[in-house]
Amino acid sequence: MAAQFGGPVRRRWAPSAGRAAEETRHPLVAVAIALPFAVLLSVVFGGWHQVMVQAQSVAAMIGR
């Protein structure tokens, strides 16, 4: 794609009218959005088993 050096600047993204540009999403909302996908990927790719193995290793290391 060639660079354009003239004319008005067009922006690809602009904040919506109902939301201020400085407003951000609450961290718990972000977690609620991302957590189901993280769990799904963990189960699909076997990450849950690895978490359990690591937890057992740490438990054995601290003597429980």
Side-chain angles (χ1 to χ4, degrees), residues 7-63:
V9 175
R10 293 188 303 168
R11 298 187 188 272
R12 292 179 183 235
W13 180 85
S16 63
R19 211 172 151 159
E22 300 85 29
E23 185 179 347
T24 59
R25 190 175 282 133
H26 192 277
L28 290 179
V29 173
V31 169
I33 292 171
L35 192 60
F37 294 111
V39 170
L40 177 69
L41 291 174
S42 165
V43 170
V44 168
F45 292 107
W48 189 250
H49 176 70
Q50 186 62 33
V51 169
M52 295 307 294
V53 169
Q54 287 289 347
Q56 288 175 350
S57 297
V58 170
M61 194 168 36
I62 62 175

